[in-house]
Coordinates of all heavy atoms in Angstrom, one line a residue:
Chain A
T1 N -2.4 -0.8 -26.0 CA -1.4 -1.5 -25.3 C -0.2 -0.7 -25.2 O 0.1 0.2 -26.0 CB -1.1 -2.8 -26.0 OG1 -0.5 -2.5 -27.3 CG2 -2.3 -3.7 -26.2
P2 N 0.6 -0.9 -24.2 CA 1.8 -0.1 -24.0 C 2.8 -0.2 -25.2 O 3.5 0.8 -25.5 CB 2.5 -0.7 -22.7 CG 1.4 -1.4 -22.0 CD 0.4 -1.8 -23.1
S3 N 2.8 -1.3 -25.9 CA 3.7 -1.5 -27.0 C 3.3 -0.6 -28.1 O 4.1 -0.3 -29.0 CB 3.7 -2.9 -27.4 OG 2.5 -3.3 -27.9
S4 N 2.1 0.0 -28.1 CA 1.7 0.9 -29.2 C 2.1 2.3 -28.9 O 1.8 3.2 -29.8 CB 0.2 0.7 -29.4 OG -0.5 1.4 -28.4
S5 N 2.6 2.5 -27.7 CA 2.9 3.9 -27.4 C 4.0 4.5 -28.3 O 5.0 3.8 -28.7 CB 3.4 4.0 -26.0 OG 4.6 3.3 -25.8
D6 N 3.8 5.7 -28.8 CA 4.8 6.3 -29.7 C 5.4 7.5 -29.1 O 6.3 8.2 -29.7 CB 4.1 6.7 -31.1 CG 2.9 7.6 -30.9 OD1 2.6 8.0 -29.8 OD2 2.3 7.9 -31.9
V7 N 5.1 7.8 -27.8 CA 5.6 9.0 -27.1 C 6.0 8.5 -25.7 O 5.3 7.7 -25.1 CB 4.6 10.1 -27.0 CG1 5.1 11.2 -26.0 CG2 4.2 10.7 -28.4
Q8 N 7.2 9.0 -25.3 CA 7.6 8.6 -23.9 C 7.7 9.8 -23.0 O 8.3 10.8 -23.5 CB 9.0 7.9 -24.0 CG 8.9 6.4 -24.5 CD 10.1 5.6 -24.2 OE1 11.2 6.1 -24.4 NE2 10.0 4.4 -23.7
L9 N 7.2 9.7 -21.9 CA 7.2 10.8 -20.9 C 8.5 10.6 -20.1 O 8.6 9.9 -19.2 CB 6.0 10.7 -20.0 CG 5.9 11.7 -18.8 CD1 6.3 13.1 -19.2 CD2 4.6 11.7 -18.2
T10 N 9.5 11.3 -20.5 CA 10.8 11.3 -19.9 C 11.3 12.7 -19.5 O 10.8 13.7 -20.1 CB 11.9 10.7 -20.8 OG1 12.1 11.5 -22.0 CG2 11.5 9.3 -21.2
E11 N 12.3 12.8 -18.6 CA 12.8 14.1 -18.2 C 13.4 14.8 -19.5 O 13.3 16.0 -19.6 CB 13.9 13.8 -17.1 CG 14.5 15.1 -16.6 CD 15.3 14.9 -15.4 OE1 14.9 14.1 -14.6 OE2 16.3 15.7 -15.2
E12 N 14.1 14.0 -20.3 CA 14.7 14.6 -21.5 C 13.7 15.2 -22.4 O 13.9 16.3 -23.0 CB 15.6 13.5 -22.2 CG 16.5 14.1 -23.3 CD 17.3 15.3 -22.9 OE1 17.7 15.4 -21.7 OE2 17.4 16.2 -23.7
A13 N 12.6 14.5 -22.6 CA 11.5 15.0 -23.5 C 11.0 16.3 -23.0 O 10.8 17.2 -23.7 CB 10.5 13.9 -23.7
V14 N 10.7 16.3 -21.7 CA 10.1 17.5 -21.0 C 11.1 18.7 -21.2 O 10.8 19.8 -21.5 CB 9.8 17.3 -19.6 CG1 9.3 18.6 -18.9 CG2 8.6 16.2 -19.5
R15 N 12.4 18.3 -20.9 CA 13.5 19.4 -21.0 C 13.5 20.0 -22.4 O 13.6 21.2 -22.5 CB 14.8 18.7 -20.6 CG 16.0 19.8 -20.7 CD 17.3 19.0 -20.8 NE 17.5 18.1 -19.6 CZ 17.9 18.5 -18.4 NH1 18.3 19.8 -18.2 NH2 18.1 17.7 -17.5
R16 N 13.4 19.2 -23.4 CA 13.5 19.7 -24.8 C 12.3 20.6 -25.1 O 12.5 21.7 -25.7 CB 13.5 18.5 -25.8 CG 14.9 17.9 -26.0 CD 14.9 17.1 -27.3 NE 13.9 16.1 -27.4 CZ 14.0 14.9 -27.0 NH1 15.2 14.5 -26.4 NH2 13.1 14.0 -27.1
Y17 N 11.1 20.2 -24.6 CA 10.0 21.1 -24.8 C 10.1 22.5 -24.1 O 9.9 23.5 -24.7 CB 8.7 20.5 -24.3 CG 8.1 19.4 -25.3 CD1 7.8 18.1 -24.9 CD2 7.8 19.8 -26.6 CE1 7.3 17.2 -25.7 CE2 7.3 18.8 -27.5 CZ 7.1 17.6 -27.1 OH 6.5 16.6 -27.9
L18 N 10.6 22.4 -22.9 CA 10.7 23.7 -22.1 C 11.8 24.6 -22.5 O 11.8 25.8 -22.2 CB 10.8 23.3 -20.6 CG 9.5 22.6 -20.0 CD1 9.7 22.4 -18.5 CD2 8.3 23.4 -20.3
I19 N 12.8 24.0 -23.2 CA 13.9 24.8 -23.7 C 13.4 25.6 -25.0 O 13.7 26.7 -25.2 CB 15.1 24.0 -24.0 CG1 15.9 23.6 -22.7 CG2 16.1 24.7 -25.0 CD1 17.0 22.7 -22.9
R20 N 12.5 24.9 -25.7 CA 12.0 25.4 -27.0 C 11.1 26.6 -26.7 O 11.2 27.6 -27.3 CB 11.3 24.3 -27.7 CG 11.2 24.6 -29.2 CD 10.4 23.5 -29.9 NE 11.1 22.2 -29.7 CZ 10.5 21.0 -29.9 NH1 9.2 20.9 -30.3 NH2 11.2 19.9 -29.7
K21 N 10.2 26.5 -25.7 CA 9.2 27.6 -25.4 C 8.5 27.4 -24.1 O 8.4 26.2 -23.7 CB 8.2 27.8 -26.6 CG 7.2 26.6 -26.7 CD 6.1 26.9 -27.6 CE 5.0 25.8 -27.6 NZ 3.8 26.2 -28.3
P22 N 8.1 28.5 -23.5 CA 7.3 28.4 -22.2 C 6.0 27.6 -22.4 O 5.4 27.8 -23.4 CB 7.1 29.8 -21.8 CG 8.0 30.6 -22.6 CD 8.3 29.9 -23.9
M23 N 5.7 26.8 -21.5 CA 4.5 26.0 -21.6 C 3.7 25.9 -20.3 O 4.4 25.9 -19.2 CB 4.9 24.5 -22.0 CG 5.5 24.4 -23.4 SD 5.9 22.7 -23.8 CE 4.4 22.4 -24.8
T24 N 2.5 25.8 -20.3 CA 1.6 25.6 -19.2 C 1.6 24.1 -18.8 O 2.0 23.3 -19.7 CB 0.2 26.1 -19.4 OG1 -0.4 25.3 -20.4 CG2 0.2 27.6 -19.8
T25 N 1.0 23.8 -17.7 CA 0.8 22.4 -17.4 C -0.1 21.7 -18.4 O 0.2 20.5 -18.8 CB 0.1 22.2 -16.0 OG1 -1.0 23.0 -15.9 CG2 1.1 22.6 -14.9
K26 N -1.1 22.4 -18.9 CA -1.9 21.8 -19.9 C -1.2 21.6 -21.2 O -1.5 20.6 -21.9 CB -3.2 22.8 -20.2 CG -4.4 22.3 -19.4 CD -5.6 23.1 -19.8 CE -6.6 22.3 -20.5 NZ -8.0 22.9 -20.6
D27 N -0.3 22.5 -21.6 CA 0.5 22.4 -22.8 C 1.3 21.1 -22.7 O 1.3 20.3 -23.7 CB 1.4 23.5 -23.0 CG 0.7 24.9 -23.3 OD1 -0.4 24.8 -23.8 OD2 1.3 25.9 -23.0
L28 N 1.9 20.9 -21.6 CA 2.7 19.7 -21.4 C 1.9 18.4 -21.4 O 2.3 17.4 -22.1 CB 3.5 19.8 -20.0 CG 4.7 20.7 -20.0 CD1 5.2 20.9 -18.6 CD2 5.8 20.1 -20.9
L29 N 0.8 18.5 -20.8 CA -0.1 17.3 -20.7 C -0.6 16.9 -22.2 O -0.7 15.7 -22.5 CB -1.3 17.5 -19.8 CG -1.0 17.5 -18.3 CD1 -2.1 18.1 -17.5 CD2 -0.6 16.1 -17.9
K30 N -0.7 17.9 -23.0 CA -1.1 17.7 -24.4 C 0.0 16.9 -25.2 O -0.3 16.2 -26.1 CB -1.4 19.0 -25.1 CG -2.9 19.2 -25.4 CD -3.2 20.5 -26.1 CE -4.0 21.5 -25.3 NZ -4.0 22.8 -25.8
K31 N 1.2 17.2 -24.8 CA 2.3 16.6 -25.5 C 2.5 15.1 -25.1 O 3.1 14.3 -25.7 CB 3.7 17.3 -25.2 CG 3.7 18.7 -25.6 CD 3.7 18.8 -27.1 CE 3.9 20.3 -27.6 NZ 3.7 20.4 -29.1
F32 N 2.0 14.8 -23.9 CA 2.1 13.5 -23.3 C 0.7 12.8 -23.1 O 0.5 12.4 -21.9 CB 3.0 13.5 -22.1 CG 4.4 14.0 -22.3 CD1 4.7 15.3 -22.0 CD2 5.3 13.3 -23.0 CE1 6.0 15.8 -22.2 CE2 6.6 13.8 -23.2 CZ 6.9 15.1 -22.8
Q33 N -0.1 12.9 -24.1 CA -1.4 12.3 -23.9 C -1.4 10.8 -23.6 O -0.6 10.1 -24.2 CB -2.3 12.5 -25.2 CG -2.6 14.0 -25.4 CD -3.4 14.2 -26.7 OE1 -4.4 13.6 -26.9 NE2 -2.9 15.1 -27.6
T34 N -2.3 10.4 -22.7 CA -2.3 9.0 -22.3 C -2.4 8.0 -23.4 O -1.8 7.0 -23.4 CB -3.4 8.8 -21.2 OG1 -4.7 9.1 -21.8 CG2 -3.2 9.6 -20.0
K35 N -3.2 8.4 -24.4 CA -3.4 7.5 -25.5 C -2.0 7.3 -26.3 O -1.9 6.3 -27.1 CB -4.5 7.9 -26.5 CG -4.3 9.2 -27.1 CD -5.5 9.7 -27.9 CE -5.3 11.1 -28.5 NZ -6.6 11.7 -28.9
R36 N -1.1 8.2 -26.2 CA 0.1 8.1 -26.9 C 1.2 7.5 -26.1 O 2.2 7.0 -26.6 CB 0.5 9.5 -27.4 CG -0.5 10.1 -28.4 CD 0.0 11.3 -29.1 NE 1.0 10.9 -30.0 CZ 1.8 11.8 -30.7 NH1 1.6 13.1 -30.5 NH2 2.7 11.4 -31.5
T37 N 1.2 7.7 -24.8 CA 2.3 7.2 -23.9 C 1.9 5.8 -23.3 O 2.8 5.1 -22.9 CB 2.5 8.1 -22.7 OG1 1.3 8.2 -21.9 CG2 2.9 9.5 -23.2
G38 N 0.6 5.5 -23.3 CA 0.2 4.2 -22.7 C 0.1 4.3 -21.1 O -0.2 3.3 -20.5
L39 N 0.4 5.5 -20.6 CA 0.3 5.7 -19.1 C -1.1 6.0 -18.8 O -1.9 6.5 -19.6 CB 1.2 6.8 -18.6 CG 2.7 6.6 -18.9 CD1 3.5 7.9 -18.4 CD2 3.3 5.4 -18.2
S40 N -1.5 5.7 -17.5 CA -2.8 6.2 -17.0 C -2.7 7.7 -16.7 O -1.6 8.3 -16.7 CB -3.1 5.4 -15.7 OG -2.3 5.9 -14.7
S41 N -3.9 8.3 -16.5 CA -3.9 9.7 -16.1 C -3.1 10.0 -14.9 O -2.4 10.9 -14.8 CB -5.4 10.2 -15.9 OG -6.1 10.0 -17.1
E42 N -3.3 9.1 -13.9 CA -2.7 9.3 -12.6 C -1.2 9.2 -12.7 O -0.4 9.9 -12.2 CB -3.2 8.3 -11.6 CG -2.9 8.6 -10.2 CD -3.5 7.6 -9.2 OE1 -4.4 6.8 -9.7 OE2 -3.2 7.6 -8.0
Q43 N -0.7 8.1 -13.5 CA 0.7 8.0 -13.7 C 1.3 9.2 -14.4 O 2.4 9.7 -14.1 CB 1.0 6.7 -14.6 CG 0.8 5.4 -13.9 CD 0.9 4.3 -14.9 OE1 0.4 4.3 -16.0 NE2 1.6 3.2 -14.5
T44 N 0.6 9.7 -15.4 CA 1.1 10.9 -16.1 C 1.2 12.1 -15.2 O 2.3 12.7 -15.2 CB 0.0 11.2 -17.3 OG1 -0.1 10.1 -18.1 CG2 0.5 12.5 -18.0
V45 N 0.2 12.3 -14.4 CA 0.3 13.5 -13.4 C 1.5 13.3 -12.5 O 2.3 14.2 -12.2 CB -1.0 13.6 -12.7 CG1 -0.8 14.6 -11.5 CG2 -2.1 14.1 -13.6
N46 N 1.6 12.0 -11.9 CA 2.7 11.8 -10.9 C 4.1 11.9 -11.6 O 5.0 12.5 -11.0 CB 2.5 10.4 -10.3 CG 1.3 10.4 -9.4 OD1 0.9 11.4 -8.9 ND2 0.8 9.2 -9.1
V47 N 4.2 11.3 -12.7 CA 5.6 11.3 -13.4 C 5.9 12.7 -13.8 O 7.1 13.2 -13.6 CB 5.6 10.3 -14.6 CG1 6.9 10.5 -15.4 CG2 5.4 8.9 -14.1
L48 N 5.0 13.4 -14.4 CA 5.2 14.8 -14.8 C 5.6 15.7 -13.6 O 6.5 16.5 -13.7 CB 4.1 15.3 -15.6 CG 4.3 16.5 -16.5 CD1 5.5 16.3 -17.4 CD2 3.1 16.6 -17.4
A49 N 4.9 15.5 -12.5 CA 5.2 16.3 -11.3 C 6.6 16.0 -10.8 O 7.3 16.9 -10.5 CB 4.2 16.0 -10.2
Q50 N 7.0 14.8 -10.8 CA 8.4 14.4 -10.4 C 9.4 15.0 -11.3 O 10.4 15.6 -10.8 CB 8.6 12.9 -10.3 CG 7.7 12.2 -9.2 CD 7.9 12.9 -7.9 OE1 9.0 13.1 -7.4 NE2 6.8 13.2 -7.2
I51 N 9.1 15.0 -12.6 CA 10.1 15.5 -13.5 C 10.2 17.0 -13.4 O 11.3 17.6 -13.3 CB 9.7 15.1 -15.0 CG1 9.9 13.6 -15.2 CG2 10.4 16.0 -16.0 CD1 9.3 13.1 -16.6
L52 N 9.1 17.7 -13.2 CA 9.1 19.1 -13.1 C 9.8 19.6 -11.8 O 10.5 20.6 -11.7 CB 7.7 19.7 -13.2 CG 7.1 19.7 -14.6 CD1 5.6 20.1 -14.5 CD2 7.8 20.7 -15.5
K53 N 9.6 18.8 -10.7 CA 10.3 19.1 -9.5 C 11.8 19.0 -9.6 O 12.6 19.7 -9.1 CB 9.8 18.2 -8.4 CG 8.4 18.5 -7.9 CD 7.9 17.5 -6.9 CE 6.4 17.8 -6.6 NZ 5.9 16.8 -5.7
R54 N 12.2 17.9 -10.4 CA 13.7 17.8 -10.6 C 14.2 18.9 -11.5 O 15.3 19.4 -11.3 CB 13.9 16.4 -11.2 CG 14.2 15.3 -10.3 CD 15.0 14.2 -10.9 NE 14.4 13.6 -12.1 CZ 13.4 12.7 -12.1 NH1 13.1 12.1 -10.9 NH2 12.9 12.2 -13.2
L55 N 13.5 19.2 -12.6 CA 14.0 20.2 -13.5 C 14.0 21.6 -12.9 O 14.8 22.4 -13.3 CB 13.2 20.2 -14.8 CG 13.4 19.0 -15.7 CD1 12.4 19.0 -16.9 CD2 14.8 18.9 -16.3
N56 N 13.0 21.8 -12.0 CA 12.9 23.1 -11.3 C 12.9 24.2 -12.3 O 13.8 25.1 -12.3 CB 13.9 23.2 -10.3 CG 13.6 24.4 -9.3 OD1 12.4 24.8 -9.2 ND2 14.6 24.9 -8.7
P57 N 12.0 24.2 -13.3 CA 12.1 25.2 -14.4 C 11.8 26.6 -13.9 O 11.1 26.8 -12.8 CB 11.0 24.7 -15.4 CG 10.1 24.0 -14.6 CD 10.9 23.3 -13.5
E58 N 12.2 27.6 -14.7 CA 11.8 29.0 -14.4 C 10.3 29.1 -14.6 O 9.7 28.3 -15.4 CB 12.5 30.0 -15.4 CG 14.0 29.9 -15.3 CD 14.6 30.4 -14.0 OE1 13.9 31.3 -13.4 OE2 15.6 29.9 -13.6
R59 N 9.7 30.1 -14.0 CA 8.2 30.3 -14.2 C 8.0 31.7 -14.6 O 8.6 32.6 -14.1 CB 7.5 30.0 -12.9 CG 7.8 28.6 -12.4 CD 7.3 28.4 -11.0 NE 7.6 27.0 -10.5 CZ 8.7 26.6 -9.9 NH1 9.6 27.5 -9.7 NH2 8.9 25.4 -9.6
K60 N 7.0 31.9 -15.4 CA 6.5 33.3 -15.7 C 5.1 33.3 -16.2 O 4.6 32.3 -16.8 CB 7.4 34.0 -16.7 CG 7.4 33.4 -18.1 CD 8.2 34.3 -19.1 CE 8.5 33.7 -20.4 NZ 9.4 34.5 -21.2
S61 N 4.4 34.4 -15.9 CA 3.0 34.5 -16.3 C 2.9 35.1 -17.7 O 3.6 36.1 -17.9 CB 2.2 35.4 -15.3 OG 2.1 34.7 -14.1
I62 N 2.2 34.4 -18.5 CA 1.9 35.0 -19.9 C 0.4 35.0 -20.0 O -0.2 33.9 -19.9 CB 2.6 34.1 -21.0 CG1 4.1 34.0 -20.7 CG2 2.3 34.7 -22.4 CD1 4.8 33.1 -21.7
G63 N -0.1 36.1 -20.2 CA -1.6 36.2 -20.4 C -2.3 35.6 -19.2 O -3.3 34.8 -19.4
D64 N -1.8 35.8 -18.0 CA -2.4 35.4 -16.8 C -2.2 33.9 -16.5 O -2.8 33.4 -15.5 CB -3.9 35.7 -16.8 CG -4.4 36.4 -15.6 OD1 -3.6 37.0 -14.9 OD2 -5.6 36.3 -15.2
K65 N -1.5 33.2 -17.3 CA -1.3 31.8 -17.1 C 0.2 31.5 -16.7 O 1.1 32.0 -17.4 CB -1.7 31.0 -18.3 CG -3.2 30.8 -18.4 CD -3.6 29.9 -19.5 CE -5.1 29.7 -19.6 NZ -5.5 29.1 -20.8
M66 N 0.4 30.7 -15.7 CA 1.7 30.3 -15.4 C 2.3 29.4 -16.4 O 1.8 28.4 -16.8 CB 1.7 29.6 -14.0 CG 3.1 29.1 -13.5 SD 4.2 30.5 -13.2 CE 3.4 31.2 -11.7
H67 N 3.5 29.8 -16.9 CA 4.3 29.0 -17.9 C 5.6 28.6 -17.3 O 6.2 29.4 -16.5 CB 4.5 29.8 -19.1 CG 3.3 30.0 -20.0 ND1 2.3 30.8 -19.6 CD2 3.0 29.6 -21.2 CE1 1.3 30.8 -20.5 NE2 1.8 30.1 -21.5
F68 N 6.1 27.4 -17.6 CA 7.4 26.9 -17.2 C 8.3 27.0 -18.4 O 7.9 26.8 -19.6 CB 7.3 25.5 -16.8 CG 6.4 25.2 -15.6 CD1 5.2 24.6 -15.8 CD2 6.8 25.6 -14.4 CE1 4.4 24.3 -14.7 CE2 6.0 25.3 -13.2 CZ 4.8 24.7 -13.4
Y69 N 9.6 27.3 -18.2 CA 10.6 27.3 -19.3 C 11.9 27.0 -18.7 O 12.2 27.2 -17.5 CB 10.5 28.6 -20.1 CG 11.0 29.8 -19.3 CD1 12.4 30.3 -19.5 CD2 10.2 30.5 -18.4 CE1 12.8 31.4 -18.8 CE2 10.7 31.6 -17.7 CZ 12.0 32.0 -17.9 OH 12.4 33.1 -17.3
L70 N 12.8 26.6 -19.6 CA 14.2 26.3 -19.2 C 15.1 27.1 -20.2 O 14.8 27.3 -21.4 CB 14.5 24.8 -19.3 CG 13.9 23.9 -18.2 CD1 14.1 22.5 -18.6 CD2 14.6 24.2 -16.9
T71 N 16.3 27.5 -19.7 CA 17.3 28.0 -20.6 C 18.4 27.0 -20.7 O 18.7 26.2 -19.8 CB 17.8 29.4 -20.1 OG1 18.2 29.2 -18.7 CG2 16.7 30.4 -20.2
E72 N 19.1 27.0 -21.8 CA 20.1 26.0 -22.0 C 21.4 26.2 -21.2 O 21.7 27.3 -20.9 CB 20.5 25.8 -23.5 CG 19.5 25.0 -24.2 CD 19.8 24.7 -25.7 OE1 19.5 25.5 -26.5 OE2 20.5 23.7 -25.9
Chain B
S1 N -11.0 13.5 -23.3 CA -11.8 14.7 -23.3 C -11.2 15.9 -22.7 O -10.2 15.8 -21.9 CB -13.2 14.4 -22.6 OG -12.9 14.4 -21.2
S2 N -11.7 17.1 -22.9 CA -11.0 18.3 -22.4 C -11.3 18.4 -20.9 O -10.5 18.9 -20.2 CB -11.6 19.5 -23.1 OG -12.9 19.8 -22.7
S3 N -12.4 17.8 -20.4 CA -12.6 17.8 -19.0 C -11.6 16.9 -18.2 O -11.2 17.3 -17.1 CB -14.1 17.5 -18.6 OG -14.3 16.1 -18.8
E4 N -11.2 15.8 -18.9 CA -10.2 15.0 -18.3 C -8.9 15.7 -18.3 O -8.1 15.7 -17.3 CB -10.1 13.7 -19.1 CG -9.0 12.7 -18.6 CD -9.2 12.2 -17.2 OE1 -10.4 12.3 -16.7 OE2 -8.3 11.6 -16.6
A5 N -8.6 16.4 -19.4 CA -7.4 17.2 -19.4 C -7.4 18.3 -18.3 O -6.3 18.5 -17.7 CB -7.2 17.9 -20.8
D6 N -8.5 18.9 -18.1 CA -8.6 19.9 -17.0 C -8.3 19.3 -15.7 O -7.7 19.9 -14.9 CB -10.0 20.6 -17.1 CG -10.2 21.5 -18.3 OD1 -9.2 22.0 -18.8 OD2 -11.4 21.8 -18.6
K7 N -8.9 18.1 -15.5 CA -8.7 17.5 -14.2 C -7.2 17.1 -14.0 O -6.7 17.3 -12.9 CB -9.5 16.2 -14.1 CG -10.9 16.4 -13.5 CD -11.6 15.0 -13.2 CE -12.0 14.3 -14.4 NZ -12.7 13.0 -14.1
M8 N -6.6 16.7 -15.0 CA -5.2 16.3 -14.9 C -4.3 17.5 -14.7 O -3.4 17.5 -13.9 CB -4.7 15.6 -16.2 CG -5.3 14.2 -16.3 SD -4.9 13.4 -17.9 CE -3.1 13.2 -17.8
A9 N -4.6 18.6 -15.4 CA -3.9 19.9 -15.2 C -4.1 20.4 -13.7 O -3.1 20.8 -13.1 CB -4.3 20.9 -16.2
A10 N -5.3 20.3 -13.2 CA -5.5 20.7 -11.9 C -4.8 19.9 -10.8 O -4.2 20.4 -9.9 CB -7.0 20.7 -11.6
A11 N -4.7 18.6 -11.1 CA -4.0 17.6 -10.2 C -2.5 17.9 -10.2 O -1.9 17.9 -9.2 CB -4.3 16.2 -10.6
L12 N -2.0 18.2 -11.4 CA -0.6 18.4 -11.6 C -0.2 19.7 -10.9 O 0.8 19.8 -10.2 CB -0.2 18.5 -13.1 CG 1.2 18.8 -13.4 CD1 2.2 17.8 -12.7 CD2 1.4 18.7 -14.9
E13 N -1.1 20.8 -11.1 CA -0.8 22.0 -10.5 C -0.9 22.0 -8.9 O -0.1 22.6 -8.2 CB -1.7 23.1 -11.0 CG -1.3 23.6 -12.3 CD -2.3 24.3 -13.2 OE1 -3.3 24.8 -12.6 OE2 -2.2 24.2 -14.4
A14 N -1.8 21.1 -8.4 CA -1.9 20.9 -7.0 C -0.6 20.3 -6.4 O -0.1 20.7 -5.4 CB -3.1 20.1 -6.6
E15 N -0.1 19.3 -7.2 CA 1.2 18.7 -6.7 C 2.3 19.7 -6.7 O 3.2 19.7 -5.9 CB 1.5 17.5 -7.7 CG 0.7 16.3 -7.5 CD 1.5 15.1 -7.2 OE1 2.7 15.3 -6.9 OE2 1.0 14.0 -7.2
L16 N 2.4 20.5 -7.8 CA 3.5 21.4 -7.9 C 3.3 22.6 -6.9 O 4.3 23.2 -6.5 CB 3.6 21.9 -9.3 CG 3.9 20.9 -10.4 CD1 3.8 21.4 -11.8 CD2 5.4 20.4 -10.1
N17 N 2.1 23.0 -6.6 CA 1.9 24.1 -5.6 C 2.6 23.7 -4.3 O 3.1 24.6 -3.6 CB 0.5 24.4 -5.5 CG 0.0 25.2 -6.6 OD1 0.8 25.8 -7.3 ND2 -1.3 25.2 -6.8
D18 N 2.5 22.5 -3.9 CA 3.1 22.1 -2.6 C 4.6 22.3 -2.7 O 5.3 22.6 -1.7 CB 2.9 20.6 -2.3 CG 1.4 20.3 -2.1 OD1 0.7 21.3 -1.8 OD2 1.0 19.2 -2.2
F19 N 5.2 22.2 -3.9 CA 6.6 22.2 -4.1 C 7.1 23.7 -4.3 O 8.1 24.1 -3.8 CB 6.9 21.4 -5.4 CG 8.3 21.6 -5.9 CD1 9.4 21.1 -5.2 CD2 8.5 22.3 -7.1 CE1 10.7 21.3 -5.7 CE2 9.8 22.5 -7.6 CZ 10.9 22.0 -6.9
M20 N 6.2 24.5 -4.9 CA 6.6 25.9 -5.3 C 6.5 26.9 -4.2 O 6.2 26.8 -3.1 CB 5.8 26.4 -6.5 CG 6.2 25.6 -7.7 SD 5.5 26.4 -9.2 CE 3.8 26.3 -9.1

């Protein structure tokens, strides 16, 4: 149930992760697993996409994979 | 499952590719 969620997918939460270290889309999705946020897969993808568009993080390739990151 | 995670990552990347 949504009331059991212990993680919230918010812009501030994403910002904190991306300031700490570069992350791939998969890394981010792991931080906001549906079973922890109570969101559906589709909601998670849509909300995370909107947040990333707003944050407009820097991008770099590490080991062939695109990573996002932010500087303070 | 990891395949569900893969699908979500692919969907997210597709959304962002339009933007980037």
